[in-house]
Amino acid sequence: MKSYRPDFDDVATSDEGDLTQSLRRLVVSDEDMQPTEDLQPTAMTALLFCRDASARKWGPRWLTQFGFETILRTDANDIASHIRTSDADVILVEAGFRDEDGTPLYGSLINAVDVSAPILVLCPSTKDVSAALDAGAFDVVRKPYEWRLIAARTKRVVQAHLVNRELDNAKVAASQAIDLADSARQRLRSRESFEPLTGLPNKSRFGDLIKRGMNAVTRDGNVLAVFVIGFARFRLVIEAMGQERADLLLTEIGYKLNACLKGPRDPAEGAKGLWTAAAASLDGPRFGVMLTCSGQGNDLADMQQRLLSTLSQPVQVASQIVHLSACVGVALYPQDADEAGRLLQRAENAMRDAQSHGGGFRHYCEQSDAAAAGKLRMEHMLHEALDNDELHIAYQPISDTATGRLVGAEALLRWPQGDGSFISPSEFAPVAEESGLMIRLGKFVLDGACRQFDEWRRAGTTLPRMCVNVSKVQLTSSDFVKTVAEVLERYGMDATSLELEISERGVLSGAQDIIDRLHELRALGVRLSIDDFGTGDSAIVYLKELPVDCLKIDRSYIGGMIDDKKDAAIVSAMVTLGQRMDLTVIAEGVETEEQLSLLRQLDCDLFQGFIVSRPVPADKFMVFLENLA
């Protein structure tokens, strides 16, 4: 099944106008079709070729009486010129009148392609009548000529010819209207079946293709696979590039997907059975591929690898390079589902499972359905929690390693449940990022933490620094810097008192838009720190390009450094690296005196962890603030 890119012209403009005009030409009433004066030309012209003395005398007189301007010709010189210049409505010719080469003139006129006027032949004999009719004359007149009757008949001939011409025009208009209607119908069908941005079949059309494929597979005993392709963090692309460029990116993906389906295959594998493929645009940044094959060779694995490698390559859009992480899910017929809609849904669930793992390929399994249902349930609960003010902010102290003195607090989002338990951020944060709720969550925490900072200050206690976590989703938002500036102004907070913590995975990627956003934040005076340092897989070389103030060593290294020399060595190296780059180094997850003692030996600047306090509500945090007084 080959995909094609239809022409989506505006049917409602040119086609509709042409169709209306064609239909108007069809509106010819019965009254209009009658031979009345309304249908005759305002000035009828009759061209008379004859040499008969009586005809030359009485023909023009009676024709004039019946409304004709009559042009009389008695010789055969330059007949073509006479016909062109006269633009006659009717031509009367004596049967014996011949043209310059001796051929009967009426025969030459009847066969001439540029003569449309009806031809009446004046016939002196029965033989002439038969010859004229056989030649195709419109009408004949037998001698003796009664010119009053001939003139009346000539007028009716002209009127009948006009009616026929109108009917012919109506037939042409009808044919044009039918053609235009068919064209409009086809284009409307294309609009209903194809996604205009990429030109690929849309979700509805893709469902029909799957049904046809299932019927063929049932008949031939082949295998049908439905792939659903998405992209990790595509919302970030839209935030960073804008919708217009994101649309260009989707168009380019559509081209690449079609090219991927047309790629080379192993002829030996293809010989084992029918191989067909079709692509579709499902909605937004999700695409579909249907593949039917024998299932005996490597077709499925080849398609999987081809999709991942092709769609994960960098794409250039308006001089900007975009790196995408393709997420592919697949479900098979008849193994995974026996109905087209369910098969597509299960392939999509597998794709979402791949998205939750950051990309790659997933085959449908029951866990995919459970994971998809869990995400939807979590997203719904998160919406309700935000709407009903169920989310709280807790604060954990950050202390000086050498003196133990409080130097700041980290604001941490907490989601308490009715039974006293909490839903971990590790569970709801990925769902928030994927669903687009992270922007709203981030604003909630930023505004709440800064408001609390202002309340403490008004109460007479001063906290040196408030630390707030920021996701990569927020950093790619074009209005994030503006949001931070507005919050600082709203609560009269000095920018240097706010520290934004960004996950290592969110900043050490070299993405220019992220780096630019960090520089804009730094220009406000806000402090920046890299959270969970040492857990990402990004190039550390980017660290020197970032305008950051602090490194936070991940708790996984702190927890193991007492018993594991390698963890201790890594912590030591991180402290040295940070300090030599003039960065403040903070150790997270400190729980024991042994850990704190070793951090002091390594000259680590700051620490936080259960050894001092778990994250606590704002009112309980006052204990630490009072010690500052």
Side-chain angles (χ1 to χ4, degrees):
M1 299 180 187
K2 293 184 178 179
S3 300
Y4 67 96
R5 188 178 182 83
D7 178 18
F8 292 97
D9 293 335
D10 191 354
V11 177
T13 55
S14 62
D15 281 1
E16 185 177 290
D18 292 344
L19 182 59
T20 301
Q21 293 299 323
S22 298
L23 291 175
R24 284 175 177 171
R25 290 198 291 271
L26 292 174
V27 184
V28 183
S29 68
D30 292 340
E31 184 178 310
D32 290 337
M33 288 292 97
Q34 300 304 315
T36 65
E37 295 294 329
D38 294 337
L39 280 177
Q40 71 180 37
T42 55
M44 296 183 294
T45 301
L47 184 57
L48 176 60
F49 291 95
C50 71
R51 294 190 179 94
D52 181 85
S54 176
R56 293 201 309 267
K57 177 180 178 180
W58 297 108
R61 293 184 183 183
W62 280 108
L63 288 170
T64 300
Q65 286 288 329
F66 278 81
F68 288 97
E69 176 186 347
T70 306
I71 301 173
L72 176 63
R73 304 302 303 175
T74 60
D75 58 73
N77 296 329
D78 202 12
I79 291 176
S81 175
H82 294 319
I83 293 177
R84 284 195 300 271
T85 57
S86 66
D87 193 23
D89 296 294
V90 63
I91 300 175
L92 296 91
V93 186
E94 277 187 343
F97 204 105
R98 298 183 179 275
D99 58 19
E100 295 173 338
D101 62 1
T103 304
L105 178 59
Y106 68 80
S108 299
L109 294 176
I110 290 170
N111 295 323
V113 296
D114 56 347
V115 176
S116 60
I119 310 296
L120 276 73
V121 182
L122 307 176
C123 301
S125 68
T126 302
K127 180 180 178 181
D128 292 325
V129 170
S130 297
L133 291 176
D134 290 343
F138 190 89
D139 203 354
V140 295
V141 179
R142 177 70 189 274
K143 215 173 186 181
Y145 305 132
E146 176 57 59
W147 277 101
R148 183 174 181 274
L149 297 178
I150 292 173
R153 181 186 293 184
T154 301
K155 183 176 181 179
R156 287 195 296 272
V157 165
V158 171
Q159 291 173 334
H161 182 67
L162 180 59
V163 169
N164 288 334
R165 188 169 62 189
E166 290 295 321
L167 287 173
D168 288 341
N169 290 338
K171 290 178 181 178
V172 172
S175 178
Q176 292 175 345
I178 291 171
D179 290 343
L180 287 170
D182 287 341
S183 175
R185 190 179 299 110
Q186 290 298 325
R187 295 187 183 191
L188 287 173
R189 285 176 180 172
S190 292
R191 286 184 170 185
E192 293 172 356
S193 301
F194 294 86
E195 196 277 322
L197 190 64
T198 62
L200 295 173
N202 59 21
K203 188 173 184 178
S204 175
R205 175 66 173 166
F206 190 54
D208 292 338
L209 294 176
I210 294 175
K211 291 176 183 177
R212 293 182 186 179
M214 291 169 66
N215 291 334
V217 165
T218 301
R219 181 184 65 245
D220 302 332
N222 291 329
V223 172
L224 184 145
V226 173
F227 298 83
V228 173
I229 301 108
F231 299 91
R233 302 179 297 277
F234 198 87
R235 290 179 183 273
L236 305 184
V237 175
I238 298 177
E239 289 282 350
M241 301 179 63
Q243 189 62 56
E244 184 175 349
R245 289 191 176 183
D247 287 345
L248 292 177
L249 178 59
L250 290 176
T251 302
E252 184 64 26
I253 291 171
Y255 289 144
K256 290 167 73 73
L257 192 57
N258 261 334
C260 182
L261 299 190
K262 298 174 183 177
R265 296 176 57 246
D266 183 352
E269 295 297 336
K272 294 179 180 178
L274 179 66
W275 190 97
T276 61
S281 178
L282 302 183
D283 62 80
R286 290 204 298 279
F287 294 84
V289 168
M290 184 193 73
L291 173 68
T292 59
C293 61
S294 67
Q296 299 174 7
N298 297 321
D299 281 330
L300 290 176
D302 289 346
M303 178 60 72
Q304 166 195 330
Q305 186 56 43
R306 193 182 304 169
L307 290 172
L308 285 175
S309 60
T310 300
L311 299 178
S312 296
Q313 293 174 4
V315 181
Q316 181 170 342
V317 177
S319 73
Q320 185 172 355
I321 302 296
V322 181
H323 295 266
L324 296 174
S325 179
C327 308
V328 181
V330 65
L332 302 180
Y333 171 80
Q335 294 92 319
D336 296 328
D338 57 3
E339 188 269 327
R342 185 179 296 274
L343 189 66
L344 180 59
Q345 182 61 55
R346 290 186 167 177
E348 187 160 340
N349 288 348
M351 182 275 295
R352 293 183 181 278
D353 193 17
Q355 277 185 328
S356 67
H357 290 83
F361 177 85
R362 286 290 186 278
H363 192 293
Y364 166 77
C365 60
E366 292 184 3
Q367 288 79 1
S368 300
D369 280 350
K375 286 182 180 179
L376 287 175
R377 184 169 58 253
M378 181 70 72
E379 182 180 338
H380 175 71
M381 291 172 58
L382 198 50
H383 273 287
E384 288 192 335
L386 279 165
D387 294 338
N388 299 331
D389 199 25
E390 297 174 3
L391 299 173
H392 301 160
I393 301 175
Y395 301 89
Q396 185 173 39
I398 300 175
S399 306
D400 184 280
T401 305
T403 65
R405 185 175 178 82
L406 180 70
V407 297
E410 180 178 2
L412 298 166
L413 187 61
R414 292 293 180 262
W415 187 359
Q417 301 300 292
D419 59 0
S421 64
F422 290 83
I423 297 179
S424 170
S426 63
E427 294 182 52
F428 67 78
V431 175
E433 288 189 348
E434 186 177 332
S435 65
L437 278 173
M438 184 55 75
I439 298 293
R440 187 179 174 189
L441 278 179
K443 287 182 178 180
F444 172 82
V445 176
L446 178 65
D447 186 86
C450 291
R451 181 176 63 250
Q452 186 60 65
F453 185 92
D454 181 50
E455 290 178 3
W456 284 331
R457 182 183 59 187
R458 293 176 184 277
T461 58
T462 302
L463 181 69
R465 190 181 309 154
M466 176 65 76
C467 302
V468 177
N469 288 282
V470 173
S471 73
K472 186 177 180 180
V473 175
Q474 291 171 273
L475 284 176
T476 55
S477 173
S478 58
D479 63 351
F480 179 64
V481 177
K482 179 182 177 183
T483 298
V484 173
E486 290 174 347
V487 169
L488 291 173
E489 182 179 0
R490 183 180 306 133
Y491 298 112
M493 186 174 175
D494 187 272
T496 59
S497 298
L498 176 63
E499 183 173 300
L500 301 179
E501 298 185 3
I502 304 102
S503 171
E504 177 187 3
R505 293 182 178 88
V507 294
L508 293 187
S509 61
Q512 191 57 49
D513 56 332
I514 299 291
I515 295 175
D516 292 343
R517 197 79 74 238
L518 294 178
H519 279 286
E520 292 172 15
L521 290 168
R522 187 62 178 274
L524 287 179
V526 172
R527 291 173 58 85
L528 301 172
S529 67
I530 297 178
D531 197 12
D532 304 324
F533 188 68
T535 60
D537 55 2
S538 304
I540 199 170
V541 67
Y542 292 118
L543 185 60
K544 67 179 182 180
E545 301 180 19
L546 302 176
V548 297
D549 303 279
C550 305
L551 290 182
K552 298 190 75 172
I553 303 175
D554 186 70
R555 64 180 65 249
S556 60
Y557 296 105
I558 303 301
M561 67 179 182
I562 299 300
D563 299 321
D564 191 326
K565 293 183 179 180
K566 292 182 179 179
D567 279 345
I570 290 174
V571 172
S572 176
M574 289 181 181
V575 172
T576 301
L577 172 67
Q579 292 179 345
R580 290 192 176 183
M581 296 184 71
D582 295 324
L583 302 176
T584 301
V585 180
I586 307 174
E588 294 183 290
V590 180
E591 298 183 1
T592 67
E593 287 292 342
E594 286 183 286
Q595 293 169 352
L596 182 56
S597 176
L598 180 55
L599 290 171
R600 289 193 178 112
Q601 295 177 33
L602 296 175
D603 291 328
C604 182
D605 300 298
L606 306 175
F607 76 98
Q608 67 183 95
F610 292 175
I611 190 174
V612 175
S613 174
R614 293 176 177 272
V616 296
D619 56 345
K620 294 184 178 181
F621 196 82
M622 286 294 294
V623 174
F624 304 101
L625 294 176
E626 291 168 356
N627 292 333
L628 286 175

